[in-house]
Amino acid sequence: MSTLPSRVTLVDVGPRDGLQNEKELVATEHKAQLVEMLYLAGLREIEVTSFVSPKWVPQMADNAAVMAAIKRQPGVRYSVLTPNLKGLEAALPTRPDEIVVFAAASEAFSQKNINCSIAESIERFAPVVEAAHATGIKVRGALSCAVGCPYEGDINADQVERVVLLMKGIGVDHLGVADTIGVGTPRKIQAAMERALKHYPLVEVSGHFHDTYGQALANIYACLEMGVHNFDTSVAGLGGCPYAKGATGNVASEDVVFMLNGLGIETGIDIDKLVDAGAFISGVLGRPPVSRVGRALLAKRAAA
Ligand SMILES: CC(C)(COP(=O)([O-])OP(=O)([O-])OC[C@H]1O[C@@H](n2cnc3c(N)ncnc32)[C@H](O)[C@@H]1OP(=O)([O-])[O-])[C@@H](O)C(=O)NCCC(=O)NCCSC(=O)C[C@@](C)(O)CC(=O)[O-]
């Protein structure tokens, strides 16, 4: 039996990745309340919003207002997505603790998602990374479509490594391996992870798994076996990417915390309060949480 990490850090990306795909605009105050409830549940890394074009992603148009509305708590890292310098310039006055640039292992996805080739995206990110570092802000890089693309199909590990190297070359501090459409299975995910780990230290690599095919928990376990201990998750299983049709949300934070609790792995997260956060935002959206654990614990509460 391999030794699993004793502690795992989760970045809840629900307020950004989760909500970006919602057609009905969610009120700024509800977004801010969700961020606060995640903090109260013990999350110390929260992806709040994105500074992208409001024409492309209207749900994130209130980015600055959300950043102004959140109650800043000590010890919490609030991050935002910035696809270009324009995004960074808009984000900086809102004082993000970290920014995220996002590239893809697939040319077609890069074009659909950010309207440029992989090479052009790296050219755009380079000054963003430089400017962020100049103000002391850490940069996470998301690498979409690390095992499969909605337009190109299978993606191989060589394609992943190529973009990992490009990200590393421009100084991206942390590399997130993203299975955007949730088609990854444990061995494929491990192969992609291995390429990231060839160039980034373990502490600076994370997994970002959508649960479209129900593989996300197995994929997280496969990463734990490699020692990976940072994951993006989304409260209530919210989300999907507007440029990956049919892809469902990220793996639900509640489901991951339940599994990690069962494995005796520390997260610092209170699952009951996390379920409250999931129930809150699901109520705002007018539907039950996608999280199986969230639904089970809510049903148990109702029956008690
Ligand atoms: C990247 C762009 C902006 C390029 O879009 P573009 O049209 O190529 O950009 P442009 O530079 O030609 O500008 C066109 C217009 O957009 C404006 N603009 C330009 N930049 C910005 C900005 N930052 N903020 C606000 N406005 C902006 C710019 O000012 C101009 O406005 P106009 O003159 O037409 O009125 C566009 O493609 C875009 O916003 N895409 C958003 C994509 C997105 O948010 N996708 C979802 C997030 S990624 C994701 O979810 C995956 C991830 C990270 O979770 C991991 C995974 O699971 O894979």
PDB file of all heavy atoms in Angstrom, residues 145-175:
ATOM      1  N   CYS A 145      -7.976  20.502 -20.628  1.00  0.00           N
ATOM      2  CA  CYS A 145      -8.004  19.395 -21.599  1.00  0.00           C
ATOM      3  C   CYS A 145      -6.738  18.532 -21.511  1.00  0.00           C
ATOM      4  O   CYS A 145      -6.164  18.161 -22.530  1.00  0.00           O
ATOM      5  CB  CYS A 145      -8.180  19.935 -23.020  1.00  0.00           C
ATOM      6  SG  CYS A 145      -9.730  20.802 -23.247  1.00  0.00           S
ATOM      7  N   ALA A 146      -6.335  18.219 -20.293  1.00  0.00           N
ATOM      8  CA  ALA A 146      -5.076  17.490 -20.105  1.00  0.00           C
ATOM      9  C   ALA A 146      -5.171  16.019 -20.499  1.00  0.00           C
ATOM     10  O   ALA A 146      -4.138  15.360 -20.653  1.00  0.00           O
ATOM     11  CB  ALA A 146      -4.612  17.624 -18.654  1.00  0.00           C
ATOM     12  N   VAL A 147      -6.385  15.498 -20.624  1.00  0.00           N
ATOM     13  CA  VAL A 147      -6.496  14.110 -21.123  1.00  0.00           C
ATOM     14  C   VAL A 147      -7.480  13.986 -22.290  1.00  0.00           C
ATOM     15  O   VAL A 147      -7.409  13.030 -23.051  1.00  0.00           O
ATOM     16  CB  VAL A 147      -6.902  13.111 -20.008  1.00  0.00           C
ATOM     17  CG1 VAL A 147      -5.759  12.835 -19.063  1.00  0.00           C
ATOM     18  CG2 VAL A 147      -8.114  13.590 -19.251  1.00  0.00           C
ATOM     19  N   GLY A 148      -8.358  14.961 -22.413  1.00  0.00           N
ATOM     20  CA  GLY A 148      -9.323  14.879 -23.511  1.00  0.00           C
ATOM     21  C   GLY A 148      -9.900  16.251 -23.813  1.00  0.00           C
ATOM     22  O   GLY A 148      -9.965  17.117 -22.942  1.00  0.00           O
ATOM     23  N   CYS A 149     -10.282  16.417 -25.091  1.00  0.00           N
ATOM     24  CA  CYS A 149     -10.786  17.717 -25.545  1.00  0.00           C
ATOM     25  C   CYS A 149     -12.144  17.499 -26.218  1.00  0.00           C
ATOM     26  O   CYS A 149     -12.306  16.524 -26.959  1.00  0.00           O
ATOM     27  CB  CYS A 149      -9.776  18.307 -26.534  1.00  0.00           C
ATOM     28  SG  CYS A 149     -10.429  19.686 -27.493  1.00  0.00           S
ATOM     29  N   PRO A 150     -13.081  18.405 -26.001  1.00  0.00           N
ATOM     30  CA  PRO A 150     -14.390  18.225 -26.632  1.00  0.00           C
ATOM     31  C   PRO A 150     -14.338  18.326 -28.165  1.00  0.00           C
ATOM     32  O   PRO A 150     -15.248  17.870 -28.849  1.00  0.00           O
ATOM     33  CB  PRO A 150     -15.240  19.356 -26.040  1.00  0.00           C
ATOM     34  CG  PRO A 150     -14.284  20.339 -25.463  1.00  0.00           C
ATOM     35  CD  PRO A 150     -13.037  19.585 -25.120  1.00  0.00           C
ATOM     36  N   TYR A 151     -13.272  18.916 -28.676  1.00  0.00           N
ATOM     37  CA  TYR A 151     -13.172  19.118 -30.129  1.00  0.00           C
ATOM     38  C   TYR A 151     -12.161  18.181 -30.781  1.00  0.00           C
ATOM     39  O   TYR A 151     -12.321  17.773 -31.925  1.00  0.00           O
ATOM     40  CB  TYR A 151     -12.794  20.577 -30.429  1.00  0.00           C
ATOM     41  CG  TYR A 151     -13.641  21.553 -29.645  1.00  0.00           C
ATOM     42  CD1 TYR A 151     -13.136  22.223 -28.530  1.00  0.00           C
ATOM     43  CD2 TYR A 151     -14.975  21.771 -29.987  1.00  0.00           C
ATOM     44  CE1 TYR A 151     -13.931  23.086 -27.786  1.00  0.00           C
ATOM     45  CE2 TYR A 151     -15.773  22.641 -29.250  1.00  0.00           C
ATOM     46  CZ  TYR A 151     -15.246  23.288 -28.154  1.00  0.00           C
ATOM     47  OH  TYR A 151     -16.039  24.129 -27.419  1.00  0.00           O
ATOM     48  N   GLU A 152     -11.083  17.847 -30.042  1.00  0.00           N
ATOM     49  CA  GLU A 152      -9.999  17.036 -30.635  1.00  0.00           C
ATOM     50  C   GLU A 152      -9.972  15.596 -30.154  1.00  0.00           C
ATOM     51  O   GLU A 152      -9.222  14.783 -30.680  1.00  0.00           O
ATOM     52  CB  GLU A 152      -8.629  17.677 -30.313  1.00  0.00           C
ATOM     53  CG  GLU A 152      -8.354  18.951 -31.069  1.00  0.00           C
ATOM     54  CD  GLU A 152      -6.983  19.545 -30.735  1.00  0.00           C
ATOM     55  OE1 GLU A 152      -6.126  18.864 -30.148  1.00  0.00           O
ATOM     56  OE2 GLU A 152      -6.789  20.727 -31.061  1.00  0.00           O
ATOM     57  N   GLY A 153     -10.746  15.276 -29.130  1.00  0.00           N
ATOM     58  CA  GLY A 153     -10.724  13.907 -28.592  1.00  0.00           C
ATOM     59  C   GLY A 153      -9.555  13.699 -27.645  1.00  0.00           C
ATOM     60  O   GLY A 153      -9.191  14.608 -26.887  1.00  0.00           O
ATOM     61  N   ASP A 154      -8.935  12.511 -27.751  1.00  0.00           N
ATOM     62  CA  ASP A 154      -7.856  12.165 -26.811  1.00  0.00           C
ATOM     63  C   ASP A 154      -6.686  13.147 -26.906  1.00  0.00           C
ATOM     64  O   ASP A 154      -6.295  13.564 -27.997  1.00  0.00           O
ATOM     65  CB  ASP A 154      -7.300  10.770 -27.142  1.00  0.00           C
ATOM     66  CG  ASP A 154      -8.156   9.683 -26.517  1.00  0.00           C
ATOM     67  OD1 ASP A 154      -9.105  10.026 -25.773  1.00  0.00           O
ATOM     68  OD2 ASP A 154      -7.882   8.504 -26.795  1.00  0.00           O
ATOM     69  N   ILE A 155      -6.137  13.442 -25.740  1.00  0.00           N
ATOM     70  CA  ILE A 155      -4.930  14.283 -25.670  1.00  0.00           C
ATOM     71  C   ILE A 155      -3.845  13.423 -25.028  1.00  0.00           C
ATOM     72  O   ILE A 155      -4.096  12.755 -24.030  1.00  0.00           O
ATOM     73  CB  ILE A 155      -5.199  15.525 -24.782  1.00  0.00           C
ATOM     74  CG1 ILE A 155      -6.306  16.408 -25.394  1.00  0.00           C
ATOM     75  CG2 ILE A 155      -3.923  16.322 -24.520  1.00  0.00           C
ATOM     76  CD1 ILE A 155      -5.963  17.124 -26.671  1.00  0.00           C
ATOM     77  N   ASN A 156      -2.662  13.419 -25.609  1.00  0.00           N
ATOM     78  CA  ASN A 156      -1.632  12.565 -25.019  1.00  0.00           C
ATOM     79  C   ASN A 156      -0.691  13.358 -24.106  1.00  0.00           C
ATOM     80  O   ASN A 156      -0.679  14.585 -24.116  1.00  0.00           O
ATOM     81  CB  ASN A 156      -0.866  11.767 -26.095  1.00  0.00           C
ATOM     82  CG  ASN A 156      -0.076  12.687 -27.014  1.00  0.00           C
ATOM     83  OD1 ASN A 156       0.669  13.537 -26.549  1.00  0.00           O
ATOM     84  ND2 ASN A 156      -0.246  12.508 -28.325  1.00  0.00           N
ATOM     85  N   ALA A 157       0.083  12.597 -23.333  1.00  0.00           N
ATOM     86  CA  ALA A 157       0.927  13.222 -22.302  1.00  0.00           C
ATOM     87  C   ALA A 157       1.999  14.133 -22.917  1.00  0.00           C
ATOM     88  O   ALA A 157       2.420  15.109 -22.287  1.00  0.00           O
ATOM     89  CB  ALA A 157       1.558  12.140 -21.432  1.00  0.00           C
ATOM     90  N   ASP A 158       2.431  13.830 -24.153  1.00  0.00           N
ATOM     91  CA  ASP A 158       3.419  14.711 -24.794  1.00  0.00           C
ATOM     92  C   ASP A 158       2.840  16.118 -25.004  1.00  0.00           C
ATOM     93  O   ASP A 158       3.542  17.121 -24.839  1.00  0.00           O
ATOM     94  CB  ASP A 158       3.851  14.152 -26.161  1.00  0.00           C
ATOM     95  CG  ASP A 158       4.708  12.907 -26.017  1.00  0.00           C
ATOM     96  OD1 ASP A 158       5.239  12.681 -24.909  1.00  0.00           O
ATOM     97  OD2 ASP A 158       4.817  12.145 -27.003  1.00  0.00           O
ATOM     98  N   GLN A 159       1.559  16.154 -25.392  1.00  0.00           N
ATOM     99  CA  GLN A 159       0.909  17.462 -25.587  1.00  0.00           C
ATOM    100  C   GLN A 159       0.848  18.229 -24.268  1.00  0.00           C
ATOM    101  O   GLN A 159       1.016  19.445 -24.227  1.00  0.00           O
ATOM    102  CB  GLN A 159      -0.507  17.268 -26.159  1.00  0.00           C
ATOM    103  CG  GLN A 159      -0.531  16.792 -27.603  1.00  0.00           C
ATOM    104  CD  GLN A 159      -1.935  16.350 -28.005  1.00  0.00           C
ATOM    105  OE1 GLN A 159      -2.351  15.227 -27.705  1.00  0.00           O
ATOM    106  NE2 GLN A 159      -2.664  17.222 -28.677  1.00  0.00           N
ATOM    107  N   VAL A 160       0.599  17.486 -23.195  1.00  0.00           N
ATOM    108  CA  VAL A 160       0.541  18.114 -21.869  1.00  0.00           C
ATOM    109  C   VAL A 160       1.914  18.680 -21.508  1.00  0.00           C
ATOM    110  O   VAL A 160       2.038  19.841 -21.115  1.00  0.00           O
ATOM    111  CB  VAL A 160       0.089  17.079 -20.805  1.00  0.00           C
ATOM    112  CG1 VAL A 160       0.203  17.654 -19.394  1.00  0.00           C
ATOM    113  CG2 VAL A 160      -1.336  16.622 -21.093  1.00  0.00           C
ATOM    114  N   GLU A 161       2.928  17.857 -21.681  1.00  0.00           N
ATOM    115  CA  GLU A 161       4.278  18.278 -21.260  1.00  0.00           C
ATOM    116  C   GLU A 161       4.732  19.510 -22.038  1.00  0.00           C
ATOM    117  O   GLU A 161       5.396  20.397 -21.490  1.00  0.00           O
ATOM    118  CB  GLU A 161       5.278  17.128 -21.432  1.00  0.00           C
ATOM    119  CG  GLU A 161       6.642  17.482 -20.847  1.00  0.00           C
ATOM    120  CD  GLU A 161       7.576  16.280 -20.740  1.00  0.00           C
ATOM    121  OE1 GLU A 161       7.182  15.157 -21.125  1.00  0.00           O
ATOM    122  OE2 GLU A 161       8.713  16.481 -20.272  1.00  0.00           O
ATOM    123  N   ARG A 162       4.339  19.557 -23.304  1.00  0.00           N
ATOM    124  CA  ARG A 162       4.734  20.714 -24.122  1.00  0.00           C
ATOM    125  C   ARG A 162       4.210  22.020 -23.485  1.00  0.00           C
ATOM    126  O   ARG A 162       4.938  23.003 -23.351  1.00  0.00           O
ATOM    127  CB  ARG A 162       4.140  20.533 -25.532  1.00  0.00           C
ATOM    128  CG  ARG A 162       4.489  21.631 -26.457  1.00  0.00           C
ATOM    129  CD  ARG A 162       3.808  21.486 -27.818  1.00  0.00           C
ATOM    130  NE  ARG A 162       3.612  22.812 -28.355  1.00  0.00           N
ATOM    131  CZ  ARG A 162       2.460  23.296 -28.780  1.00  0.00           C
ATOM    132  NH1 ARG A 162       1.378  22.562 -28.788  1.00  0.00           N
ATOM    133  NH2 ARG A 162       2.376  24.529 -29.227  1.00  0.00           N
ATOM    134  N   VAL A 163       2.961  21.995 -23.050  1.00  0.00           N
ATOM    135  CA  VAL A 163       2.384  23.224 -22.485  1.00  0.00           C
ATOM    136  C   VAL A 163       2.881  23.464 -21.054  1.00  0.00           C
ATOM    137  O   VAL A 163       3.065  24.608 -20.640  1.00  0.00           O
ATOM    138  CB  VAL A 163       0.830  23.209 -22.574  1.00  0.00           C
ATOM    139  CG1 VAL A 163       0.250  24.529 -22.110  1.00  0.00           C
ATOM    140  CG2 VAL A 163       0.396  22.924 -24.009  1.00  0.00           C
ATOM    141  N   VAL A 164       3.126  22.374 -20.332  1.00  0.00           N
ATOM    142  CA  VAL A 164       3.727  22.521 -18.991  1.00  0.00           C
ATOM    143  C   VAL A 164       5.036  23.304 -19.126  1.00  0.00           C
ATOM    144  O   VAL A 164       5.300  24.261 -18.380  1.00  0.00           O
ATOM    145  CB  VAL A 164       3.995  21.138 -18.341  1.00  0.00           C
ATOM    146  CG1 VAL A 164       4.867  21.283 -17.093  1.00  0.00           C
ATOM    147  CG2 VAL A 164       2.684  20.434 -17.999  1.00  0.00           C
ATOM    148  N   LEU A 165       5.848  22.919 -20.108  1.00  0.00           N
ATOM    149  CA  LEU A 165       7.140  23.585 -20.298  1.00  0.00           C
ATOM    150  C   LEU A 165       6.968  25.049 -20.695  1.00  0.00           C
ATOM    151  O   LEU A 165       7.725  25.921 -20.255  1.00  0.00           O
ATOM    152  CB  LEU A 165       7.955  22.838 -21.353  1.00  0.00           C
ATOM    153  CG  LEU A 165       8.672  21.597 -20.823  1.00  0.00           C
ATOM    154  CD1 LEU A 165       9.209  20.739 -21.963  1.00  0.00           C
ATOM    155  CD2 LEU A 165       9.810  22.012 -19.889  1.00  0.00           C
ATOM    156  N   LEU A 166       5.951  25.306 -21.521  1.00  0.00           N
ATOM    157  CA  LEU A 166       5.703  26.701 -21.926  1.00  0.00           C
ATOM    158  C   LEU A 166       5.299  27.542 -20.711  1.00  0.00           C
ATOM    159  O   LEU A 166       5.750  28.683 -20.543  1.00  0.00           O
ATOM    160  CB  LEU A 166       4.609  26.759 -22.999  1.00  0.00           C
ATOM    161  CG  LEU A 166       4.985  26.175 -24.374  1.00  0.00           C
ATOM    162  CD1 LEU A 166       3.754  26.096 -25.294  1.00  0.00           C
ATOM    163  CD2 LEU A 166       6.078  27.028 -25.039  1.00  0.00           C
ATOM    164  N   MET A 167       4.460  26.963 -19.874  1.00  0.00           N
ATOM    165  CA  MET A 167       4.001  27.690 -18.671  1.00  0.00           C
ATOM    166  C   MET A 167       5.194  27.939 -17.743  1.00  0.00           C
ATOM    167  O   MET A 167       5.350  29.027 -17.187  1.00  0.00           O
ATOM    168  CB  MET A 167       2.946  26.870 -17.923  1.00  0.00           C
ATOM    169  CG  MET A 167       1.697  26.592 -18.739  1.00  0.00           C
ATOM    170  SD  MET A 167       0.441  27.858 -18.506  1.00  0.00           S
ATOM    171  CE  MET A 167      -0.834  26.881 -17.776  1.00  0.00           C
ATOM    172  N   LYS A 168       5.977  26.908 -17.578  1.00  0.00           N
ATOM    173  CA  LYS A 168       7.157  27.025 -16.708  1.00  0.00           C
ATOM    174  C   LYS A 168       8.100  28.098 -17.265  1.00  0.00           C
ATOM    175  O   LYS A 168       8.664  28.913 -16.523  1.00  0.00           O
ATOM    176  CB  LYS A 168       7.858  25.668 -16.664  1.00  0.00           C
ATOM    177  CG  LYS A 168       9.156  25.671 -15.956  1.00  0.00           C
ATOM    178  CD  LYS A 168       9.121  24.808 -14.737  1.00  0.00           C
ATOM    179  CE  LYS A 168      10.481  24.800 -14.099  1.00  0.00           C
ATOM    180  NZ  LYS A 168      10.462  24.657 -12.705  1.00  0.00           N
ATOM    181  N   GLY A 169       8.242  28.111 -18.594  1.00  0.00           N
ATOM    182  CA  GLY A 169       9.148  29.056 -19.259  1.00  0.00           C
ATOM    183  C   GLY A 169       8.791  30.512 -19.004  1.00  0.00           C
ATOM    184  O   GLY A 169       9.672  31.375 -19.000  1.00  0.00           O
ATOM    185  N   ILE A 170       7.509  30.801 -18.800  1.00  0.00           N
ATOM    186  CA  ILE A 170       7.129  32.203 -18.548  1.00  0.00           C
ATOM    187  C   ILE A 170       6.995  32.483 -17.046  1.00  0.00           C
ATOM    188  O   ILE A 170       6.541  33.550 -16.648  1.00  0.00           O
ATOM    189  CB  ILE A 170       5.830  32.603 -19.299  1.00  0.00           C
ATOM    190  CG1 ILE A 170       4.663  31.691 -18.917  1.00  0.00           C
ATOM    191  CG2 ILE A 170       6.070  32.634 -20.809  1.00  0.00           C
ATOM    192  CD1 ILE A 170       3.311  32.206 -19.384  1.00  0.00           C
ATOM    193  N   GLY A 171       7.330  31.494 -16.235  1.00  0.00           N
ATOM    194  CA  GLY A 171       7.386  31.758 -14.790  1.00  0.00           C
ATOM    195  C   GLY A 171       6.119  31.466 -14.003  1.00  0.00           C
ATOM    196  O   GLY A 171       5.989  31.918 -12.857  1.00  0.00           O
ATOM    197  N   VAL A 172       5.186  30.722 -14.604  1.00  0.00           N
ATOM    198  CA  VAL A 172       3.979  30.341 -13.854  1.00  0.00           C
ATOM    199  C   VAL A 172       4.421  29.516 -12.639  1.00  0.00           C
ATOM    200  O   VAL A 172       5.209  28.582 -12.767  1.00  0.00           O
ATOM    201  CB  VAL A 172       3.021  29.531 -14.772  1.00  0.00           C
ATOM    202  CG1 VAL A 172       1.919  28.877 -13.973  1.00  0.00           C
ATOM    203  CG2 VAL A 172       2.459  30.436 -15.862  1.00  0.00           C
ATOM    204  N   ASP A 173       3.901  29.876 -11.456  1.00  0.00           N
ATOM    205  CA  ASP A 173       4.413  29.286 -10.215  1.00  0.00           C
ATOM    206  C   ASP A 173       3.848  27.902  -9.904  1.00  0.00           C
ATOM    207  O   ASP A 173       4.500  27.102  -9.242  1.00  0.00           O
ATOM    208  CB  ASP A 173       4.059  30.198  -9.021  1.00  0.00           C
ATOM    209  CG  ASP A 173       4.630  31.594  -9.198  1.00  0.00           C
ATOM    210  OD1 ASP A 173       5.861  31.710  -9.278  1.00  0.00           O
ATOM    211  OD2 ASP A 173       3.840  32.557  -9.290  1.00  0.00           O
ATOM    212  N   HIS A 174       2.615  27.693 -10.333  1.00  0.00           N
ATOM    213  CA  HIS A 174       1.916  26.468  -9.918  1.00  0.00           C
ATOM    214  C   HIS A 174       1.155  25.934 -11.129  1.00  0.00           C
ATOM    215  O   HIS A 174       0.595  26.701 -11.899  1.00  0.00           O
ATOM    216  CB  HIS A 174       0.936  26.840  -8.785  1.00  0.00           C
ATOM    217  CG  HIS A 174       0.093  25.713  -8.309  1.00  0.00           C
ATOM    218  ND1 HIS A 174       0.322  25.060  -7.123  1.00  0.00           N
ATOM    219  CD2 HIS A 174      -0.987  25.092  -8.852  1.00  0.00           C
ATOM    220  CE1 HIS A 174      -0.570  24.099  -6.956  1.00  0.00           C
ATOM    221  NE2 HIS A 174      -1.379  24.100  -8.002  1.00  0.00           N
ATOM    222  N   LEU A 175       1.145  24.637 -11.271  1.00  0.00           N
ATOM    223  CA  LEU A 175       0.510  24.050 -12.466  1.00  0.00           C
ATOM    224  C   LEU A 175      -0.674  23.175 -12.071  1.00  0.00           C
ATOM    225  O   LEU A 175      -0.500  22.201 -11.328  1.00  0.00           O
ATOM    226  CB  LEU A 175       1.584  23.230 -13.195  1.00  0.00           C
ATOM    227  CG  LEU A 175       1.455  22.923 -14.683  1.00  0.00           C
ATOM    228  CD1 LEU A 175       0.458  21.809 -14.953  1.00  0.00           C
ATOM    229  CD2 LEU A 175       1.071  24.156 -15.509  1.00  0.00           C
TER     230      LEU A 175
END
